[in-house]
Amino acid sequence: MNATLNFEADKARLARAILNIDNDTILEKVKHSLLFIFAKDNQKSEDVTAQMINKFSGAWKDDRSDDEIINDIYSQRYSKKR
């Protein structure tokens, strides 16, 4: 819980620091830096997603019909009668 409080306190300090910037040049630099960081993080997520899609696309191989698959699923189920 202490780590969470520290994290939230750091965010609040950062927000206050940004809100107190009164120089257009500095604000533009901060804005540019944050946009770069967010774009970089987003790109990493998209790369991982693309890698997973490429890795597992077409991985499921099954020549059974829909009805055969459904029947197999139901035949493997066990339930207790009440």
Side-chain angles (χ1 to χ4, degrees):
M1 179 156 167
N2 200 17
T4 302
L5 291 175
N6 287 337
F7 179 72
E8 293 301 321
D10 284 344
K11 288 191 327 184
R13 279 191 288 274
L14 181 58
R16 276 193 302 276
I18 292 170
L19 290 171
N20 288 326
I21 294 172
D22 60 355
N23 181 307
D24 287 340
T25 304
I26 294 173
L27 185 59
E28 279 302 313
K29 287 180 181 179
V30 170
K31 180 179 161 184
H32 178 71
S33 295
L34 288 173
L35 290 174
F36 177 76
I37 291 167
F38 291 138
K40 190 174 179 181
D41 283 348
N42 191 33
Q43 182 63 36
K44 286 180 186 177
S45 296
E46 289 175 6
D47 289 346
V48 170
T49 301
Q51 289 172 6
M52 297 304 279
I53 289 171
N54 289 334
K55 180 177 180 179
F56 293 109
S57 180
W60 179 268
K61 305 286 186 209
D62 199 334
D63 296 329
R64 297 175 294 165
S65 71
D66 296 345
D67 289 333
E68 289 173 312
I69 293 171
I70 292 168
N71 286 335
D72 285 347
I73 292 169
Y74 281 119
S75 70
Q76 296 299 317
R77 290 185 178 175
Y78 299 100
S79 61
K80 296 178 182 178
K81 293 183 180 182
R82 293 180 183 201

